[in-house]
Amino acid sequence: MTPSIPKGTRDFLPSEMFRRNFIFDVIRQVFHLYGFQPIETPAMENLSTLLGKYGEEGDKLLFRILNSGDFLSEIPDSLLQEKSSNAVAPFVAEKGLRYDLTVPFARFVVQHRNDILFPFRRYQIQPVWRADRPQKGRYREFYQCDCDVIGSDSLLNEAELVQIIDDIFSRFRIRTVTKINNRKVLAGIADVIGHPDRITDLTVAIDKMEKIGLERVKEELSEKGISGDSIEKLEPILMLKGTTHEKIDILKGVLSSSAAGLKGLEELEKLFGYISGFTLTNGVELDLTLARGLNYYTGAIFEVKSIDEAIGSVCGGGRYDDLTGVFGMPGISGVGISFGAERIYDVMTRLNLFPGESRLLTKVLFINFGSREEEYILPVIGALRRKGIHSEVYPEPDKMKKQMNYANRKEIPYVVLAGEEELRQQKFTLKDMRTGEQTPVTAGELIKILSE
Amino acid sequence: MTPSIPKGTRDFLPSEMFRRNFIFDVIRQVFHLYGFQPIETPAMENLSTLLGKYGEEGDKLLFRILNSGDFLSEIPDSLLQEKSSNAVAPFVAEKGLRYDLTVPFARFVVQHRNDILFPFRRYQIQPVWRADRPQKGRYREFYQCDCDVIGSDSLLNEAELVQIIDDIFSRFRIRTVTKINNRKVLAGIADVIGHPDRITDLTVAIDKMEKIGLERVKEELSEKGISGDSIEKLEPILMLKGTTHEKIDILKGVLSSSAAGLKGLEELEKLFGYISGFTLTNGVELDLTLARGLNYYTGAIFEVKSIDEAIGSVCGGGRYDDLTGVFGMPGISGVGISFGAERIYDVMTRLNLFPGESRLLTKVLFINFGSREEEYILPVIGALRRKGIHSEVYPEPDKMKKQMNYANRKEIPYVVLAGEEELRQQKFTLKDMRTGEQTPVTAGELIKILSE
């Protein structure tokens, strides 16, 4: 009987860890470069914090923690007899695992509002848990990497997030396009086609443009009770072509009767103004079909696609005007983005973009020839480590073949052999594992060569 | 109503995160220096993996995850009517949160044995969860930092772990003493006093020496049915004085009739032989009163105490001969240590040992004077970031006082002022926040100064 782990979860071997940590390290470095600071929240939150924030479907996907001790004692007998899990659940579980980083962050901001300096530039890189049906590329435990600025309305924040996206993906060498839209523009469109109350239906439909095409989107809108007249007004907007500047100009005409729409266009214009002043590696474009599912976005919305791998978005986010209202602190505006580390990992693996050598791997292995030789090599190993050189000594005098195999499999680039002969000559034989070349060196030379 | 988090859990603000990450980074750096490689395991394990591994008390402290969906459906009606939480628990929860890193690691080794290179030098830094009663310094979610070598009997592994301990605590500037003992020596003592089957009682009693003193330990042993004769034989061993070498010599006489005892002494002698060849910053000593609670240790045992703060041990570990047997892979020997990050944090805070400045903090803030000035400063900020200098621009043209307050509270050492006058002169005013000194500089000079 081989032990196993819960479905949808994963172990990570060292080779995977080095690659995952490369991704997290790059993201963290860039966040720091732009003045973002880390926070962490507990894996468990009170269910009162989590429930009702992710829709009915989300509530079902929460992992709940069974209360400690006599967890059945709080259940009314009548409920227990009905055997209704839904009715009983609130009595046996008070806590749940974090489902995303956004709701815990909102809770954090309200709880610590007196200790936080606004505008607050925070990032958070932690795992989240969802009881989703596991499938290829979808896990029940996965990391999110979020950065947000809250307490500032300025569009400079949006502009800097676009820079951060560009900076991070160019370090990964992933070619991307960042798609930008604005929820106010979408609201404006809903206004002018005469269905201001149907913005959700509209954005859901627009979101499907890429997947199902214009005709089926029109059908779906019709099924949802949008009149043919309104759909006709919508069509030219969905099919809009030209430069960003041209598109915005045309839209100004179409949306001239909608205050929200015009405000959204003004925001887009200002944001693209900032962006045109930046030197970016990857593309950025206005995309009116971009809607994003989450209802709490109120201004700019972002989505980043990999150009060379069709894998959905590798980063997304937007502006929200009332993240913390649900916890009793209304009117705090913020904007944030979230990087999909798991997808980035997949793209980098498929395109072979990970750096070949990790600076964290062991640089040199000393072969073990026995006690006398150990005594001879240990001080040199100590000296190498004091210089910051990752060094290992094989722990026992096993067969040479086994020790060399260890060096090979661990991809250690240098091996030192110091047996009887070397000891007599007070030297060390340094073997370059890539070329096979063996060189006799003194302790000083060894340290010098490996320090390079 | 202010939102809150479950008792025994914590949020971490940026100031705490910088300090916690300093601790984790140092530990990780040293682990890499000695050739250890990272792994990670999921937060949730199957309860079949966890149950029965931590004793009856441990089983009670596991956080269990409620099964998804209709979790009541599997419970036999008869059990439900009895309302016995203990009997019902296995039917409503199949998964639990990780309680430590050792059992998941054992499971990992067995599960991935064909992908692992032995001797396997792994480290793991992840949170664990325990439904302990929360109290000062004890949390329900906390990090463990473990490193282990498995698949090698060599005492050189023990010796290297002692070096790692010394290396890590000297980087923290925490003065420590590493106490070393050997379980075989303890078994030998149990042998010669005629109670080979009472080794657990004996080690528990010895473990209390420091806390309750010789007389009460003798009383407790007597209460546990150890004869006066045996206690008399034990007393000189407990009171042993002298250098490590002297102690071992005396013990060789006392334990001459115990094969296990002599083997333990031979191991200690070899280990202290290695240690005497190292240049260590902190003290290492043989301590026969050291027993450590966990039953799976079979050879060397370690415990590290802070000299300047009485806070229990800050690191501990030992040699185990059968970590993976319980998962069907017997006879794999290993040795490992675990660093208590939470206690290290407390010691460093109380002794004020954290480095004053974090290299991760923002180095320069550009004051925002409005759109025209933004256009003037943004390219310079871009250039600074390309040089790796952590830079921020205040996102909106707020009152100067508010912006300067932001820089002060975020401990940003430099502020750049570039208003109308600077723009006209094509200069920037650089303010050193520590001295208050203001200097007019060109863009090139600014980059040069901040790069230093």
Side-chain angles (χ1 to χ4, degrees):
Chain A
M1 180 221 64
T2 305
S4 64
I5 48 178
K7 63 178 179 183
T9 68
R10 293 163 292 170
D11 283 327
F12 297 108
L13 289 158
S15 55
E16 295 164 308
M17 286 295 298
F18 283 124
R19 291 170 159 217
R20 288 175 67 82
N21 285 340
F22 174 79
I23 291 172
F24 295 132
D25 286 347
V26 165
I27 290 175
R28 232 186 313 259
Q29 271 164 28
V30 174
F31 286 168
H32 287 145
L33 199 52
Y34 286 77
F36 287 79
Q37 297 188 332
I39 70 158
E40 279 186 12
T41 62
M44 300 176 208
E45 293 276 351
N46 291 322
L47 279 172
S48 57
T49 300
L50 302 177
L51 285 169
K53 310 302 189 300
Y54 306 106
E56 225 174 285
E57 196 48 38
D59 283 356
K60 282 191 200 143
L61 300 183
L62 289 173
F63 280 110
R64 293 160 194 243
I65 313 275
L66 197 61
N67 292 341
S68 298
D70 191 6
F71 58 88
L72 290 179
S73 63
E74 301 291 318
I75 311 175
D77 285 337
S78 56
L79 271 189
L80 207 54
Q81 267 145 28
E82 281 172 33
K83 238 182 155 176
S84 155
S85 294
N86 278 342
V88 161
F91 296 95
V92 299
E94 282 170 4
K95 296 180 286 289
L97 293 181
R98 186 166 57 216
Y99 179 89
D100 73 356
L101 302 179
T102 306
V103 169
F105 176 50
R107 192 266 309 144
F108 179 101
V109 169
V110 176
Q111 197 174 330
H112 302 283
R113 54 166 155 321
N114 296 326
D115 301 314
I116 289 174
L117 176 65
F118 294 98
F120 186 36
R121 298 162 83 82
R122 92 84 170 79
Y123 76 85
Q124 192 170 355
I125 300 179
Q126 290 193 280
V128 302
W129 294 270
R130 296 181 184 180
D132 255 322
R133 190 178 298 275
Q135 57 189 70
K136 198 180 159 1
R138 182 181 293 173
Y139 306 102
R140 292 186 149 194
E141 173 181 63
F142 59 95
Y143 272 77
Q144 291 195 332
C145 312
D146 285 18
C147 79
D148 293 78
V149 187
I150 65 161
S152 163
D153 286 332
S154 166
L155 288 159
L156 183 49
N157 297 306
E158 274 86 337
E160 289 210 308
L161 291 178
V162 171
Q163 272 188 309
I164 286 175
I165 290 168
D166 191 72
D167 205 337
I168 286 176
F169 286 107
S170 59
R171 283 168 198 237
F172 289 145
R173 299 186 291 146
I174 297 177
R175 301 195 308 150
T176 58
V177 58
T178 299
K179 293 169 179 241
I180 298 180
N181 198 2
N182 191 298
R183 275 289 175 93
K184 293 190 185 79
V185 173
L186 292 174
I189 296 169
D191 265 2
V192 299
I193 67 164
H195 289 280
D197 54 328
R198 302 298 289 278
I199 184 165
T200 306
D201 285 337
L202 211 60
T203 56
V204 168
I206 295 175
D207 202 19
K208 292 185 175 173
M209 270 292 288
E210 213 171 313
K211 280 179 215 137
I212 64 174
L214 181 64
E215 286 314 308
R216 288 200 44 208
V217 164
K218 281 165 71 175
E219 276 168 39
E220 287 197 3
L221 284 169
S222 176
E223 280 161 23
K224 280 174 180 162
I226 309 283
S227 69
D229 192 39
S230 297
I231 295 175
E232 212 166 299
K233 276 189 195 150
L234 187 61
E235 191 175 326
I237 293 174
L238 295 179
M239 303 306 292
L240 205 64
K241 294 265 180 294
T243 66
T244 301
H245 199 74
E246 286 161 4
K247 284 177 182 169
I248 290 174
D249 271 354
I250 296 168
L251 282 164
K252 275 183 184 165
V254 182
L255 302 183
S256 60
S257 62
S258 161
L262 291 177
K263 180 76 168 61
L265 290 171
E266 187 192 317
E267 289 177 10
L268 279 177
E269 213 163 14
K270 174 128 195 185
L271 176 53
F272 277 97
Y274 279 123
I275 291 169
S276 68
F278 297 151
T279 314
L280 301 180
T281 307
N282 288 301
V284 178
E285 63 183 40
L286 172 62
D287 183 350
L288 282 180
T289 72
L290 172 66
R292 291 190 67 75
L294 292 168
N295 271 320
Y296 58 72
Y297 292 126
T298 51
I301 44 181
F302 308 104
E303 208 160 276
V304 184
K305 303 265 186 192
S306 155
I307 289 174
D308 301 302
E309 283 289 331
I311 198 172
S313 69
V314 287
C315 176
R319 160 81 59 184
Y320 40 84
D321 277 343
D322 194 19
L323 182 70
T324 54
V326 68
F327 296 116
M329 188 180 171
I332 300 287
S333 183
V335 58
I337 48 176
S338 182
F339 290 83
E342 318 287 343
R343 281 191 183 163
I344 292 170
Y345 185 95
D346 288 345
V347 171
M348 292 185 69
T349 302
R350 287 189 220 160
L351 299 177
N352 199 18
L353 297 177
F354 285 105
E357 264 177 56
S358 169
R359 58 183 174 80
L360 301 175
L361 290 176
T362 298
K363 190 158 188 188
V364 60
L365 174 76
F366 283 71
I367 299 295
N368 194 322
F369 287 94
S371 296
R372 269 188 64 224
E373 289 85 353
E374 276 180 3
E375 220 172 284
Y376 176 62
I377 59 176
L378 285 175
V380 182
I381 296 171
L384 285 169
R385 286 177 178 152
R386 277 190 292 279
K387 291 255 177 199
I389 296 158
H390 298 185
S391 312
E392 277 183 64
V393 49
Y394 197 88
E396 39 211 325
D398 271 344
K399 285 202 185 104
M400 176 69 94
K401 198 180 160 188
K402 194 174 172 192
Q403 298 192 45
M404 293 303 279
N405 181 48
Y406 177 89
N408 268 322
R409 282 200 48 198
K410 222 173 161 179
E411 295 176 57
I412 300 175
Y414 291 99
V415 162
V416 171
L417 300 112
E420 215 174 305
E421 181 60 22
E422 281 87 355
L423 225 128
R424 212 174 42 76
Q425 299 188 9
Q426 292 290 297
K427 291 243 170 160
F428 301 83
T429 298
L430 177 65
K431 178 169 183 170
D432 183 324
M433 295 293 279
R434 282 162 297 200
T435 64
E437 199 184 345
Q438 301 201 152
T439 325
V441 291
T442 64
E445 287 163 350
L446 183 65
I447 292 167
K448 190 157 171 286
I449 293 169
L450 293 174
S451 300
E452 273 159 14
Chain B
M1 179 219 65
T2 305
S4 64
I5 47 177
K7 64 179 176 180
T9 68
R10 293 165 290 172
D11 282 328
F12 296 107
L13 289 158
S15 56
E16 295 163 308
M17 285 297 296
F18 283 124
R19 291 169 159 220
R20 289 176 67 82
N21 284 340
F22 173 79
I23 291 172
F24 295 132
D25 286 347
V26 165
I27 291 174
R28 233 186 310 258
Q29 270 163 30
V30 175
F31 286 167
H32 286 146
L33 200 51
Y34 287 76
F36 287 80
Q37 296 189 331
I39 70 158
E40 277 186 13
T41 62
M44 301 177 206
E45 293 276 352
N46 292 321
L47 279 173
S48 56
T49 301
L50 302 178
L51 285 169
K53 310 302 188 302
Y54 307 106
E56 227 173 284
E57 197 47 40
D59 283 356
K60 282 190 201 143
L61 301 183
L62 290 172
F63 279 111
R64 292 160 195 244
I65 313 275
L66 198 61
N67 292 341
S68 297
D70 190 6
F71 58 88
L72 290 179
S73 63
E74 301 291 319
I75 310 176
D77 285 340
S78 57
L79 271 188
L80 207 55
Q81 266 144 32
E82 279 172 35
K83 237 181 157 176
S84 157
S85 294
N86 279 343
V88 161
F91 295 94
V92 300
E94 281 169 7
K95 296 179 286 287
L97 293 181
R98 188 167 53 216
Y99 179 90
D100 73 357
L101 303 180
T102 306
V103 170
F105 176 50
R107 192 267 310 144
F108 179 100
V109 169
V110 177
Q111 197 174 329
H112 302 283
R113 57 168 160 309
N114 296 324
D115 301 314
I116 289 174
L117 176 65
F118 295 98
F120 186 35
R121 299 160 83 83
R122 93 84 171 76
Y123 77 85
Q124 192 170 354
I125 299 178
Q126 290 194 278
V128 301
W129 295 271
R130 297 182 185 179
D132 257 322
R133 190 177 296 276
Q135 57 190 68
K136 196 176 161 359
R138 182 181 292 176
Y139 306 102
R140 292 186 149 194
E141 173 180 61
F142 59 96
Y143 272 77
Q144 291 195 333
C145 313
D146 286 17
C147 79
D148 292 76
V149 187
I150 65 159
S152 163
D153 286 331
S154 165
L155 288 158
L156 183 50
N157 298 306
E158 274 86 337
E160 290 210 308
L161 291 177
V162 171
Q163 273 188 309
I164 286 175
I165 290 168
D166 191 72
D167 204 339
I168 286 176
F169 286 107
S170 60
R171 283 167 198 237
F172 289 145
R173 296 187 292 147
I174 297 176
R175 300 196 308 150
T176 58
V177 58
T178 300
K179 296 173 179 236
I180 299 180
N181 199 2
N182 190 299
R183 275 290 174 92
K184 293 191 186 79
V185 171
L186 293 174
I189 296 170
D191 266 0
V192 299
I193 66 162
H195 289 281
D197 55 325
R198 303 297 291 278
I199 184 164
T200 306
D201 284 338
L202 209 63
T203 56
V204 168
I206 295 176
D207 202 22
K208 292 186 174 174
M209 271 293 289
E210 213 172 313
K211 282 180 215 138
I212 64 175
L214 181 64
E215 286 314 310
R216 288 200 44 208
V217 165
K218 281 165 70 176
E219 275 168 39
E220 289 199 3
L221 283 169
S222 176
E223 280 160 22
K224 280 175 179 162
I226 309 283
S227 70
D229 191 39
S230 297
I231 295 175
E232 210 166 298
K233 277 188 195 152
L234 187 62
E235 192 175 327
I237 294 174
L238 295 179
M239 302 306 291
L240 206 66
K241 293 266 182 293
T243 66
T244 300
H245 198 73
E246 286 161 2
K247 284 178 181 168
I248 290 176
D249 271 353
I250 295 167
L251 282 166
K252 275 184 184 167
V254 182
L255 301 184
S256 60
S257 63
S258 162
L262 291 178
K263 181 72 168 61
L265 290 171
E266 188 193 316
E267 289 178 8
L268 280 177
E269 213 164 12
K270 174 126 196 185
L271 175 53
F272 276 96
Y274 279 124
I275 293 170
S276 68
F278 297 152
T279 314
L280 301 180
T281 306
N282 287 301
V284 178
E285 63 183 38
L286 171 62
D287 183 349
L288 283 180
T289 72
L290 172 64
R292 289 190 68 76
L294 292 169
N295 271 322
Y296 57 74
Y297 292 126
T298 52
I301 45 181
F302 308 104
E303 208 160 276
V304 184
K305 304 265 186 192
S306 155
I307 289 174
D308 301 303
E309 282 291 328
I311 198 173
S313 68
V314 287
C315 176
R319 160 78 61 180
Y320 39 85
D321 277 343
D322 194 19
L323 183 69
T324 53
V326 68
F327 295 118
M329 189 182 171
I332 300 287
S333 183
V335 58
I337 49 176
S338 182
F339 290 83
E342 317 288 341
R343 283 194 182 159
I344 292 170
Y345 185 95
D346 288 345
V347 171
M348 292 186 67
T349 302
R350 286 189 223 160
L351 299 177
N352 200 18
L353 296 178
F354 284 105
E357 262 178 55
S358 169
R359 58 182 174 79
L360 301 175
L361 291 176
T362 297
K363 191 160 188 186
V364 59
L365 174 76
F366 283 71
I367 299 295
N368 195 324
F369 286 95
S371 297
R372 268 188 64 225
E373 290 85 354
E374 274 180 6
E375 221 172 286
Y376 176 63
I377 60 176
L378 284 176
V380 182
I381 296 170
L384 285 168
R385 286 177 178 153
R386 277 190 292 279
K387 292 254 177 201
I389 296 158
H390 299 183
S391 312
E392 279 183 62
V393 49
Y394 197 88
E396 40 211 321
D398 271 344
K399 284 200 184 108
M400 176 69 93
K401 196 178 162 189
K402 194 172 171 194
Q403 297 192 47
M404 293 303 279
N405 181 47
Y406 178 88
N408 268 322
R409 283 200 47 200
K410 220 171 162 180
E411 296 177 56
I412 300 174
Y414 292 99
V415 161
V416 171
L417 301 112
E420 213 174 308
E421 181 60 22
E422 282 86 357
L423 226 127
R424 213 174 40 77
Q425 298 186 8
Q426 290 291 297
K427 291 242 174 165
F428 301 84
T429 298
L430 178 66
K431 178 167 183 173
D432 183 326
M433 295 294 279
R434 280 160 298 198
T435 64
E437 198 185 344
Q438 301 200 153
T439 324
V441 291
T442 64
E445 287 164 348
L446 182 65
I447 292 166
K448 190 157 170 288
I449 293 169
L450 293 173
S451 300
E452 274 159 16

